[in-house]
Amino acid sequence: MSKKNSKNIVFLLNALWIKINTKRKRKIIYLIFIILLSSFSEIISLSSVIPFIGFLTSPEYFLDNIFPRYLSLNLNSIDNFSLLVGITSILILSAFLSGFLKVYTQWEIRKLAANLGSDFSIDLYRKLLYQPYTYHINVESSDILSVLTADISDLINLLITPLLTLIASSFIASGLIISLLIINGNLSLITFFIIFLIYFIALRLSSNSLLKLGYQKVYLRSSFIKNIQEAMGSIREIILDNNHEFYVNIHKSLDKPLRKVIAKIAILSIIPKSLVDPAGISIIAIIGLFLALNGDINNSLPFLGAIVLGAQKLIPHFQNIYQSWTSIKGSKAILEKVVILLNNKTPKKLTRKRIKPLQIKEDIKFKKVNFIYKSNTRPILANLNLTIRKGEKVGIIGKTGSGKSTIVDLLMGLLEPLSGEILIDNLNINDPINSSLLASWRVSIAHVPQNVFLINATIAENIAFGIPKNEINMAKLKKVCEQALLSNFIENTEGGYFSKTGERGIKLSGGQCQRIGIARALYKESNILVLDEATSALDNQTEALIIKSLENIDREITLIFIAHRYSSLKNCDRIIEIKNGKVESEGSFESFTSN
């Protein structure tokens, strides 16, 4: 999206329109048809006022002069009472029809807006989940949370609903204006011009302010969510350091300005109505006074009544148009943000079928692999050559920053090399022509990170991650818990396998969380098992017991251990030392510990 186009709200709305599916577009067309009917009912309702008031105030003058002007009908055969009943019935029916259509139109607007909001939210969520790993390590989670929660809600309430309301009110207002011009052109033009002028001036004066306030709102809200996330994520440190007020002050510095911005946007949207109401009353009063002084009040009363009613009907629609436009204008920053995210690329084919894991036959090879992060100037990996054979237990060791974790992320297909190849049985997993290969390779890997992420659910659901609760294989789950030395701990808890772990595993120790991570990886039954500092929170005895239990795993499974300490790699077939993004040395555990 070009810088110029990103500033054009019409362009942004068009970009949003492109993302709407055919079903919703048909619903919008249907809604426009209902709006046209509502507009027509308002015209009938307003037009019925003239004959009604005219017949009540001066029946003879009305029958001889006013009615023939609009309808070529012979009314001599109809008595006055029947005519009055007919006119009254038309007025009442048209008023009820108009009211019903107003309610129905608003119902359809709200329903359509909610459905569109849901469509956009699901689409955005899917796009964000399918973004490559490099996207997620560079974007702030507070921005994602802000978009999926507050921004999408604002898109519905402050943009989509107001936009549909603006369309509805524009059609109805146009019908009312045409009717008023037909009834009495001069009086209607004066009334319309003054109302229009007030709203036009208000729009011109508030336009820039609304844009600035909209961008301030997006920035403040994203920072607001970020502060809450950081505080909740570091609550232990806050309590230990007694830093509560530090985060409270940050919250205060964001909360107050945010609420002031929201209040200013709301105030700007209601100011014109405060001026239009007294202006409208003044116009009607002056017109009535003028007609009374000229002695023409009785004959002009039907027209004056119609104009008063028309103005009364027109002002709310002008207010809706103005409020809708100010809301849309103030939401431009949100619209811009959502459109950019909706335009993110996703894989061409998003299959919902179960992907078949890739069965390794020979080996995994890193061939002259180079990698550098965007934020770095120094390469993390430089011409790395590495081979891991099928069924081998390989330990990778090195200091912090040596490139161990980057090797793991490249191996798992989360990152793509700057140059070089990662080959599985001589097949390049990053081959753009064979994109399904990478998906098959990824599902064949089970990964246990140093910091295991646990959802706020039961132990069983955390181990059988991503599997519906009623589909968990409890026999298999208990077996992997024994291998991860979890069984005793779980069986001594009150809820057993269905005990809650708390948010991010807050109810468990670091070692318990890591063992759940190991059990999760084993439950997956993958043929590649990667343990990235997965036993760092365990004591030496527990670590040794878990590693020993992993030795009994089928030799078809390839085990890759990433560690800082040699003791974690005691039972590996081979240890590879990484230094400055290259293989420094490799050999057996004994060859490393004997030096």
Side-chain angles (χ1 to χ4, degrees):
M1 187 182 298
S2 69
K3 190 174 180 181
K4 182 179 178 181
N5 282 335
S6 70
K7 292 182 179 179
N8 189 327
I9 199 163
V10 176
F11 175 86
L12 291 169
L13 288 171
N14 182 60
L16 196 67
W17 171 259
I18 292 168
K19 300 297 178 183
I20 298 173
N21 62 47
T22 306
K23 182 182 177 181
R24 303 294 180 225
K25 285 179 179 177
R26 286 175 184 161
K27 197 69 178 177
I28 290 170
I29 293 168
Y30 169 74
L31 180 60
I32 290 171
F33 173 73
I34 296 299
I35 290 167
L36 286 171
L37 279 180
S38 184
S39 178
F40 185 67
S41 71
E42 288 283 9
I43 293 170
I44 295 172
S45 177
L46 181 60
S47 301
S48 303
V49 171
I50 297 174
F52 179 74
I53 298 176
F55 202 85
L56 288 177
T57 55
S58 183
E60 294 78 13
Y61 180 82
F62 167 76
L63 290 171
D64 294 336
N65 297 287
I66 298 176
F67 210 99
R69 194 186 305 172
Y70 297 97
L71 293 171
S72 300
L73 293 174
N74 183 11
L75 302 175
N76 295 326
S77 59
I78 305 173
D79 62 272
N80 288 357
F81 178 76
S82 299
L83 192 57
L84 180 59
V85 169
I87 294 168
T88 305
S89 300
I90 293 170
L91 179 63
I92 292 170
L93 286 172
S94 61
F96 272 102
L97 177 63
S98 175
F100 169 77
L101 287 173
K102 275 182 188 176
V103 173
Y104 183 68
T105 301
Q106 288 303 311
W107 163 250
E108 287 295 330
I109 285 173
R110 297 301 189 277
K111 191 168 68 170
L112 177 59
N115 287 330
L116 285 170
S118 181
D119 291 345
F120 291 139
S121 179
I122 294 165
D123 192 18
L124 268 179
Y125 189 66
R126 179 179 286 113
K127 282 179 182 290
L128 287 166
L129 283 182
Y130 276 94
Q131 290 307 304
Y133 183 65
T134 48
Y135 174 89
H136 290 284
I137 61 177
N138 289 310
V139 72
E140 291 194 20
S141 59
S142 58
D143 284 339
I144 293 174
L145 276 175
S146 178
V147 170
L148 290 174
T149 54
D151 289 348
I152 286 293
S153 294
D154 278 358
L155 191 76
I156 300 166
N157 300 322
L158 302 179
L159 193 138
I160 295 174
T161 302
L163 181 61
L164 295 172
T165 302
L166 186 147
I167 293 167
S169 290
S170 296
F171 273 106
I172 295 170
S174 298
L176 288 169
I177 290 166
I178 292 168
S179 300
L180 287 171
L181 290 173
I182 292 170
I183 291 167
N184 191 309
N186 293 331
L187 294 179
S188 298
L189 275 174
I190 294 168
T191 306
F192 169 70
F193 176 76
I194 292 173
I195 295 171
F196 174 80
L197 187 64
I198 291 170
Y199 280 107
F200 178 77
I201 293 170
L203 274 173
R204 294 289 294 177
L205 292 175
S206 64
S207 185
N208 289 333
S209 297
L210 285 165
L211 275 176
K212 290 176 183 177
L213 289 168
Y215 281 103
Q216 286 176 27
K217 181 181 174 182
V218 169
Y219 169 75
L220 287 168
R221 187 162 57 197
S222 182
S223 302
F224 183 84
I225 293 171
K226 181 182 177 183
N227 179 57
I228 294 172
Q229 271 189 294
E230 289 177 351
M232 295 302 103
S234 56
I235 192 65
R236 287 179 179 175
E237 288 75 13
I238 289 172
I239 293 169
L240 289 171
D241 298 338
N242 195 31
N243 274 341
H244 306 78
E245 286 305 310
F246 175 78
Y247 283 94
V248 170
N249 288 332
I250 294 174
H251 186 83
K252 189 190 295 182
S253 70
L254 294 169
D255 186 83
K256 285 187 176 180
L258 177 59
R259 296 190 189 281
K260 282 182 181 178
V261 165
I262 294 170
K264 284 178 183 178
I265 293 172
I267 289 167
L268 284 173
S269 69
I270 62 171
I271 286 174
K273 193 173 186 300
S274 303
L275 300 174
V276 167
D277 285 342
I281 293 169
S282 301
I283 294 165
I284 300 303
I286 291 168
I287 292 170
L289 179 63
F290 176 78
L291 292 172
L293 292 173
N294 283 276
D296 195 30
I297 188 67
N298 286 336
N299 296 334
S300 300
L301 194 59
F303 299 101
L304 182 61
I307 291 170
V308 170
L309 182 62
Q312 187 186 16
K313 286 175 173 284
L314 193 59
I315 289 171
H317 290 294
F318 263 97
Q319 180 63 19
N320 284 342
I321 292 167
Y322 174 78
Q323 278 189 318
S324 297
W325 180 247
T326 55
S327 185
I328 293 165
K329 197 82 171 175
S331 304
K332 188 194 166 214
I334 294 166
L335 176 61
E336 193 173 294
K337 191 175 177 182
V338 171
V339 166
I340 289 169
L341 289 172
L342 283 171
N343 284 330
N344 277 338
K345 292 181 180 179
T346 50
K348 291 180 181 179
K349 292 183 180 179
L350 302 179
T351 178
R352 295 185 181 182
K353 294 180 180 178
R354 186 175 178 84
I355 299 170
K356 189 177 180 181
L358 181 67
Q359 298 297 325
I360 182 172
K361 296 175 182 176
E362 295 180 11
D363 55 30
I364 304 163
K365 286 182 181 176
F366 279 63
K367 189 176 179 182
K368 294 183 179 180
V369 171
N370 291 278
F371 184 82
I372 185 170
Y373 289 102
K374 287 183 179 180
S375 57
N376 289 16
T377 54
R378 183 178 64 86
I380 301 298
L381 302 178
N383 286 324
L384 178 73
N385 291 294
L386 178 65
T387 300
I388 299 171
R389 291 177 289 277
K390 177 188 175 182
E392 195 175 17
K393 292 185 179 70
V394 175
I396 299 176
I397 198 164
K399 294 180 180 178
T400 301
S402 61
K404 304 188 306 298
S405 294
T406 303
I407 290 172
V408 170
D409 288 340
L410 286 163
L411 171 76
M412 296 189 295
L414 296 175
L415 298 176
E416 189 173 343
L418 184 66
S419 62
E421 296 177 317
I422 298 169
L423 306 171
I424 310 300
D425 298 334
N426 291 319
L427 293 173
N428 184 359
I429 62 169
N430 296 299
D431 185 353
I433 298 173
N434 188 10
S435 58
S436 61
L437 178 68
L438 180 58
S440 295
W441 173 241
R442 283 172 176 167
V443 298
S444 68
I445 298 170
H447 174 235
V448 188
Q450 182 176 3
N451 299 311
V452 178
F453 178 81
L454 299 182
I455 58 174
N456 189 9
T458 65
I459 292 173
E461 287 171 290
N462 271 288
I463 293 172
F465 189 71
I467 295 173
K469 194 173 181 179
N470 60 337
E471 294 179 19
I472 295 173
N473 185 331
M474 290 304 297
K476 184 167 79 169
L477 187 131
K478 288 178 181 179
K479 182 182 176 182
V480 299
C481 284
E482 287 176 9
Q483 288 179 303
L485 303 184
L486 266 173
S487 299
N488 288 338
F489 157 70
I490 293 172
E491 288 166 7
N492 286 324
T493 59
E494 188 177 344
Y497 290 93
F498 298 99
S499 299
K500 291 280 187 178
T501 61
E503 191 174 358
R504 300 186 306 277
I506 199 167
K507 295 181 180 180
L508 306 174
S509 68
Q512 288 164 349
C513 288
Q514 283 196 329
R515 279 181 279 167
I516 286 175
I518 293 168
R520 178 190 289 174
L522 294 172
Y523 186 90
K524 192 176 176 182
E525 294 184 327
S526 301
N527 56 19
I528 308 289
L529 182 56
V530 179
L531 292 96
D532 189 356
E533 300 286 354
T535 58
S536 59
L538 303 176
D539 59 79
N540 291 335
Q541 185 180 359
T542 305
E543 181 186 45
L545 289 169
I546 288 176
I547 290 172
K548 188 176 181 180
S549 71
L550 293 175
E551 285 181 18
N552 299 323
I553 294 175
D554 192 337
R555 289 298 300 181
E556 293 290 311
I557 293 177
T558 305
L559 283 169
I560 301 168
F561 294 87
I562 313 295
H564 276 97
R565 57 194 185 195
Y566 287 108
S567 60
S568 303
L569 308 177
K570 185 177 180 180
N571 298 303
C572 288
D573 300 324
R574 183 162 53 105
I575 296 174
I576 301 169
E577 184 180 9
I578 304 295
K579 187 175 182 181
N580 296 326
K582 295 180 179 180
V583 175
E584 178 72 10
S585 58
E586 59 179 299
S588 65
F589 174 77
E590 289 75 17
S591 66
F592 275 93
T593 54
S594 61
N595 295 332

